Amino acid sequence: MAFVLEIETSFTQKYIKNYIVSIARRFNIYATIIQSESKIICAFTSEHKKLKECLEVIAQELPASLFLKSSKSYENDEEPSSLAELENEYPLNLGLCPSCQKEIFDVKSRRYYYPFSSCSCCGGNHSFVESYPYVRKNSSFKFLIPCQNCIEEQNSVGLKESHEINSCHDCGVPVRLVNKKTERYANDAGSFRTMFEVSAKAINDDKKVLIKTTFGYRVFYKVNKLNNASILMMINASKITDYLSLITEEYNALLSIERPVLNVTVKDEELQELLGTNTSYVKYPDDGFSILLCTELKKLGIDFIAYEEVDEGYEADLFMDYDLEIRPQSDMRVFLNKDNLFIANGERVSFPSHNFKENFLLSIAHDYMGLPFHKKILFDNIKKFDLIYTDKINVLKGVDEKSHNNKKVFLQDEASFISVIAEHNVFDKRCVGAYFDEEPSFLYYDGKNVLRIVPPKEFNSSEIIEDIKNLRDGSDRLICNLQQSAPEIYIKLLALQSKEDVKLFEAVAILLGLEDESMRGVTKEAMKFIGKGGIQIDTHVKDNRFDNTAFLASIISYQLAGVSSSILSYSIFESFGDYFNDILQELKVKTKATEIVLCGTHFANQSLFSRMQRNLKMTPPLMNKNYPIGKENAVVGGVFL
Ligand SMILES: [Zn+2]
Ligand SMILES: [Zn+2]
């Protein structure tokens, strides 16, 4: 007989499964643990006298995850006959698991205040991987010889089993804290603790501290120094809801092992004032360095600080550094709207990944590559792979890949669209979809090929003023009026004409007079609107493309009529929601498609997504499950084009 625990999850990474495997191995309980497309099924032999204890430990220690849904248990006739095996061909960059967090705060442990603490199932291990296969000699730890204790741990059952880059104070990485005059080193528990104490005090004294965390370079500072790129790091879990107004799902997401960045509503009025808005990107301390720093800050009575992802050369008052190469990934931003959750953008946790059935071609997009590996496809940063021989290669337009004769160039929106079709395995169905990242486009999959039905119209700002003037009769008056009543906006618009690579939403933000001149700024502004129902902004198709000029002209005319920037921002997304719906429904009828696909990072927007949800109630849209809806999914789609 077997006791079966079934956990529902549509995420295919193996860290949660491995966590359960390592606990079952620790208890020496025979088990068959497999992960299918929709669940993790764990069958433990019923006879073992410690089964109850093992299940209790799983319930207590299993990290909370964004991607775990309901679970159930039952008995069946199965008879597991061996220990379950770990599946860790590659590590990820995750937050610290409860067990590793406990270790860094346990005075008696070998890793008290050791910021590189992690195990096989958690921590920022991927940052240290140089190449495959994932073994210590292919990592930044290759010159560090593990001590006897660490080797023993690696060779014993438990969370550190086969933890390739296991280390501790005795065999690990010394860290230095540098300011303009002095340098101090940390190489044991006491000196590490002092170093984090000193850093926390410096921040409290209004200094900026740059830290090479295992997730990359971050500069930390007090919230009075906030800017548009700042992320709030909430330190005190019990006080988070004093400052932020969160639904339960958001609170749980923040504290999950994935430790994503979330865009949430700020409740505290003082904080709103500092931010200049009522929403903010927030996260809970994730890697060893951030956790230890925040613990010291908490002792000083600080409930949250700000940080920014920067590069090594950032000028800070203090710099915490070490001699070990890291290859950080962009952070994971998660979008939550009621019971919908998806990854908006970022590489962390989605990559590397080992997924789908191999099909003997290479896909290259942005910094990523997908290639056949052990009967599936392995996706990771291109720098991790050596020379590869393959018959065919698919490359995203714009990527420099000259070395191959048999290459096909694909487009971002096509690749994103088909990555969703691949994730839902609906290759046998007809699908229509929209891609939205600055300029919208519409696509169709006929069961074989992807066609761009409404291609994106690249935004060109070089003659933006002339374009608006010539839009229709009387449009020239619109520009005259703008010049008279909002000269500062007119001057900025004029400057856009000589600037390169201007984004559509950069122009929108400028027209609205926003300080954050980007999509992020317009999104924040829309969140300030609390009324119901906006106004209709001109979103239409001209010559089979989205008409950027008519869209901008419409915003100017409302602006001149005195409509507030928050109503306008909200209305822009509401109008976009209706625009996407109208075209998708029309295409669906024309093509007899059964599925609707949404992709592109701009769909991670509360105002727009709520509208889309309402409009598409009858045909809930398919979206990425394991990968971001943003441009990062192109490498995945590239395999199927
Ligand atoms: Zn761990
Ligand atoms: Zn050691």
Side-chain angles (χ1 to χ4, degrees):
M1 290 290 281
F3 176 85
V4 183
L5 175 66
E6 235 183 67
I7 307 171
E8 207 192 317
T9 179
S10 56
F11 203 60
T12 57
Q13 298 284 24
K14 302 289 193 312
Y15 48 92
I16 295 295
K17 183 203 152 192
N18 281 337
Y19 215 91
I20 302 172
V21 169
S22 85
I23 296 174
R25 288 175 75 83
R26 197 161 95 206
F27 281 91
N28 199 26
I29 295 178
Y30 286 176
T32 311
I33 302 178
I34 53 166
Q35 185 160 355
S36 73
E37 247 168 52
S38 60
K39 52 195 157 192
I40 303 170
I41 306 166
C42 322
F44 307 91
T45 178
S46 307
E47 266 81 278
H48 204 284
K49 59 180 186 305
K50 285 205 164 164
L51 179 62
K52 189 166 169 269
E53 200 186 325
C54 170
L55 293 171
E56 276 166 12
V57 169
I58 292 173
Q60 275 164 22
E61 293 183 9
L62 193 67
S65 165
L66 282 176
F67 304 106
L68 292 188
K69 289 170 197 149
S70 61
S71 67
K72 60 176 179 187
S73 58
Y74 51 89
E75 295 215 44
N76 72 10
D77 299 334
E78 222 179 303
E79 205 55 74
S81 54
S82 60
L83 287 179
E85 296 289 335
L86 292 164
E87 250 187 289
N88 46 8
E89 317 96 318
Y90 56 82
L92 296 171
N93 279 336
L94 290 159
L96 286 194
C97 74
S99 163
C100 289
Q101 284 207 63
K102 215 165 122 193
E103 200 180 15
I104 56 175
F105 294 119
D106 176 3
V107 193
K108 294 193 284 303
S109 95
R110 297 192 292 118
R111 298 188 182 87
Y112 181 61
Y113 271 77
Y114 182 57
F116 297 97
S117 296
S118 64
C119 66
S120 311
C121 308
C122 87
N125 301 339
H126 182 264
S127 294
F128 301 106
V129 176
E130 281 173 357
S131 60
Y132 290 107
Y134 171 51
V135 285
R136 194 170 178 114
K137 73 172 175 37
N138 289 336
S139 80
S140 310
F141 278 75
K142 62 188 161 200
F143 299 119
L144 293 162
I145 314 293
C147 69
Q148 210 46 46
N149 283 329
C150 284
I151 292 174
E152 255 166 54
E153 271 178 338
Q154 275 169 255
N155 295 331
S156 328
V157 290
L159 285 168
K160 311 265 186 196
E161 184 179 1
S162 56
H163 182 27
E164 288 294 329
I165 57 171
N166 198 22
S167 68
C168 69
H169 282 306
D170 288 342
C171 62
V173 191
V175 173
R176 57 185 175 274
L177 187 65
V178 188
N179 73 14
K180 281 169 191 109
K181 283 177 239 128
T182 57
E183 244 183 56
R184 67 163 73 223
Y185 281 83
N187 55 9
D188 60 13
S191 49
F192 265 105
R193 194 182 150 153
T194 310
M195 191 175 65
F196 283 104
E197 268 169 19
V198 169
S199 304
K201 283 201 182 102
I203 292 172
N204 199 30
D205 291 340
D206 264 338
K207 299 271 194 305
K208 286 190 170 186
V209 178
L210 175 65
I211 300 184
K212 183 179 183 179
T213 73
T214 61
F215 284 179
Y217 291 92
R218 286 175 176 172
V219 59
F220 294 87
Y221 43 81
K222 271 215 237 166
V223 285
N224 54 12
K225 293 191 170 64
L226 280 173
N227 67 57
N228 289 332
S230 307
I231 296 170
L232 283 183
M233 191 168 264
M234 305 308 293
I235 294 174
N236 192 338
S238 64
K239 283 193 176 171
I240 290 180
T241 48
D242 293 355
Y243 300 103
L244 309 174
S245 75
L246 302 178
I247 54 170
T248 315
E249 287 81 359
E250 287 173 323
Y251 182 83
N252 293 342
L254 274 180
L255 271 60
S256 69
I257 180 95
E258 293 85 9
R259 295 286 206 280
V261 174
L262 280 183
N263 190 9
V264 302
T265 310
V266 175
K267 183 159 88 181
D268 183 72
E269 281 175 21
E270 252 172 75
L271 193 52
Q272 280 184 1
E273 196 130 317
L274 274 171
L275 291 160
T277 178
N278 61 344
T279 56
S280 177
Y281 286 116
V282 300
K283 95 134 71 198
Y284 192 62
D286 45 11
D287 95 306
F289 284 87
S290 308
I291 291 174
L292 291 168
L293 175 73
C294 288
T295 303
E296 292 306 318
L297 285 162
K298 192 176 162 194
K299 288 181 193 161
L300 301 173
I302 296 175
D303 293 333
F304 51 83
I305 45 161
Y307 79 94
E308 230 176 290
E309 285 178 1
V310 291
D311 54 37
E312 197 177 351
Y314 189 94
E315 285 276 331
D317 300 293
L318 275 177
F319 181 21
M320 201 185 285
D321 193 16
Y322 48 88
D323 297 322
L324 208 56
E325 209 186 319
I326 54 163
R327 294 157 197 79
Q329 297 177 298
S330 58
D331 211 346
M332 174 199 223
R333 185 163 70 86
V334 158
F335 179 84
L336 251 163
N337 177 296
K338 297 190 187 102
D339 40 11
N340 289 289
L341 179 145
F342 56 79
I343 305 164
N345 57 359
E347 301 159 346
R348 204 169 61 72
V349 191
S350 290
F351 297 101
S353 81
H354 195 211
N355 231 335
F356 310 109
K357 237 168 65 193
E358 66 181 344
N359 65 355
F360 304 104
L361 61 75
L362 273 185
S363 158
I364 300 178
H366 306 289
D367 297 329
Y368 275 73
M369 177 144 92
L371 77 171
F373 181 80
H374 290 186
K375 302 213 161 115
K376 290 187 182 180
I377 304 163
L378 180 64
F379 300 96
D380 201 352
N381 193 295
I382 202 159
K383 291 189 185 122
K384 301 266 194 305
F385 301 108
D386 294 333
L387 255 186
I388 288 143
Y389 299 94
T390 173
D391 301 344
K392 239 181 104 197
I393 167 166
N394 286 354
V395 181
L396 177 69
K397 191 177 180 210
V399 173
D400 184 33
E401 186 43 68
K402 300 188 191 87
S403 59
H404 208 287
N405 301 328
N406 195 6
K407 100 179 162 182
K408 179 177 155 188
V409 175
F410 62 83
L411 302 165
Q412 173 72 52
D413 54 348
E414 295 175 349
S416 288
F417 176 60
I418 202 149
S419 77
V420 180
I421 294 174
E423 283 215 67
H424 289 268
N425 198 10
V426 286
F427 284 112
D428 56 343
K429 299 210 170 125
R430 292 179 192 196
C431 314
V432 290
Y435 177 80
F436 188 29
D437 187 353
E438 296 300 329
E439 296 86 18
S441 63
F442 293 87
L443 305 112
Y444 169 53
Y445 172 75
D446 63 2
K448 279 196 192 98
N449 298 303
V450 173
L451 300 160
R452 257 181 173 179
I453 305 193
V454 181
K457 184 174 182 185
E458 210 159 302
F459 180 58
N460 179 351
S461 66
S462 65
E463 288 177 20
I464 183 173
I465 291 177
E466 219 33 47
D467 289 345
I468 294 172
K469 274 185 178 170
N470 297 331
L471 182 66
R472 54 181 86 94
D473 279 351
S475 291
D476 50 343
R477 270 201 312 265
L478 206 58
I479 292 292
C480 282
N481 290 345
L482 181 74
Q483 197 174 358
Q484 273 166 14
S485 60
E488 65 294 341
I489 291 179
Y490 179 80
I491 290 167
K492 281 191 173 180
L493 212 54
L494 209 58
L496 275 190
Q497 300 201 123
S498 46
K499 196 180 158 194
E500 268 176 50
D501 195 27
V502 177
K503 304 275 187 235
L504 177 62
F505 276 87
E506 183 178 347
V508 171
I510 285 172
L511 286 179
L512 295 172
L514 304 179
E515 180 243 337
D516 187 352
E517 292 170 355
S518 66
M519 179 59 156
R520 182 179 56 199
V522 185
T523 306
K524 276 190 208 158
E525 194 65 17
M527 293 301 286
K528 288 186 190 165
F529 179 68
I530 34 170
K532 265 200 185 118
I535 44 182
Q536 189 60 46
I537 313 282
D538 195 342
T539 49
H540 77 259
V541 172
K542 187 184 160 195
D543 304 330
N544 199 31
R545 301 198 174 191
F546 181 78
D547 190 343
N548 293 324
T549 312
F551 172 63
L552 294 175
S554 171
I555 294 171
I556 296 177
S557 60
Y558 279 118
Q559 232 240 346
L560 291 172
V563 178
S564 82
S565 53
S566 66
I567 301 180
L568 258 173
S569 303
Y570 175 81
S571 305
I572 286 169
F573 296 122
E574 206 181 58
S575 302
F576 259 109
D578 294 343
Y579 163 75
F580 281 118
N581 181 54
D582 290 348
I583 301 207
L584 286 169
Q585 299 295 2
E586 190 189 319
L587 295 177
K588 188 167 171 270
V589 173
K590 268 193 200 159
T591 59
K592 300 197 178 70
T594 54
E595 312 297 319
I596 290 181
V597 168
L598 296 183
C599 50
T601 195
H602 283 1
F603 281 114
N605 174 310
Q606 296 294 350
S607 325
L608 174 59
F609 192 78
S610 302
R611 191 73 168 187
M612 295 299 295
Q613 277 294 106
R614 206 191 73 175
N615 288 339
L616 296 175
K617 218 177 241 163
M618 304 307 289
T619 322
L622 303 180
M623 300 182 80
N624 289 102
K625 296 190 282 190
N626 287 284
Y627 302 97
I629 63 164
K631 63 180 170 50
E632 298 87 350
N633 60 12
V635 69
V636 177
V639 176
F640 302 99
L641 285 166

